[in-house]
Amino acid sequence: VNISFAKASTLSDNIALASLGAQAYDNGNWVETAWPGTGYQYDAALAIDDINFGSSFWAGYGPGGTQQIWINFDKKYTINSIYLDELQPGQASPGDGSWAFVTSGSLEYLNNGTWHQLYDITKNVADLMLSFTPVDADGVRLNVYSASVPSSWANQNAEGLYSFEVGGTPANPVPVPSAIYLLGAALIGLAAVRRK
C-alpha cells in the first residue's frame, strides 16, 4: 500500500484536534480483517488527526441503523463552522478510485449536556462545508442515515471521514465584574447562614 500524508485543515480555527484535547468516539466502526488476528480498525479518533491522505479515516460499521461519530471538546467553545472531508478517489492511495460519503444525515451540537439540532444533510457529492450562527458547544455529533460507497465494498454503509473539523474559539468566560459580583453574593449568603 502506498501511503502519504498531508495536512488537511481547511478551517484555520479548527478546534477538533486531539492535540488540543478533543476526543472522538463512535457507536461502531469498520474492522477490515485480512486474516485472523489482524486488520485495520477505522475508529473515530482517525477523523480528528488532521490528515487527509492515506489510510487514516473513520468508517462506520454500517449494518443498519444510524451510525454516529461525535467529538467532545476539552472545554466549551463558540463554534461557527464545520467541515467534513470525505473519501474521494485517490485519497486512500494513488490510483485508488474509491469514494465513500454521507448522503443523508444530520449534525448536532452538545451544550450543557443536551444535544441540539444544527443541520440536516442531504447531498450526492463528497465533503461538506457549513457555516452557521455561532453557538456555544461542548461537542458536536454527526448522525449518518445513508452513504454512497463502491458496490464492491463488503460494508455498504462505511462512509470514509478523513477529517471532521470544527471552527471555533474558546467561549467567553464570565466577565470579571460579574464574577466578582457572584463571588460577593456567595460570600454574603455564606455569612448569613453562619449567623443563624
Side-chain angles (χ1 to χ4, degrees), residues 125-175:
V125 296
D127 297 350
L128 173 69
M129 182 68 198
L130 178 67
S131 296
F132 46 87
T133 302
V135 294
D136 286 348
D138 302 299
V140 291
R141 179 167 66 187
L142 169 64
N143 302 302
V144 179
Y145 309 138
S146 63
S148 176
V149 301
S151 59
S152 61
W153 283 21
N155 183 353
Q156 280 297 296
N157 216 16
E159 72 292 342
L161 186 57
Y162 268 99
S163 191
F164 190 160
E165 300 182 17
V166 182
T169 56
N172 291 330
V174 176

Side-chain angles (χ1 to χ4, degrees), residues 73-86:
F73 304 139
D74 62 311
K75 58 189 169 191
K76 192 179 293 290
Y77 286 88
T78 300
I79 63 172
N80 61 10
S81 56
I82 289 177
Y83 175 61
L84 304 179
D85 181 15
E86 298 171 296

Side-chain angles (χ1 to χ4, degrees), residues 37-58:
T38 65
Y40 302 96
Q41 185 170 355
Y42 301 108
D43 69 13
L46 298 175
I48 61 169
D49 58 8
D50 212 20
I51 294 171
N52 76 340
F53 203 90
S55 57
S56 177
F57 58 89
W58 175 70

Side-chain angles (χ1 to χ4, degrees), residues 5 14 17 26 34 40-41 50 62 75 81 86 93 107-108 121 133 138 142 148 171 176 179 187 191 194-195:
F5 299 92
N14 180 22
L17 294 170
D26 58 42
Y40 302 96
Q41 185 170 355
D50 212 20
K75 58 189 169 191
S81 56
E86 298 171 296
S93 62
L107 285 163
E108 299 173 301
I121 301 170
T133 302
D138 302 299
L142 169 64
S148 176
V176 173
L187 293 174
R194 286 187 174 175
R195 286 180 191 158

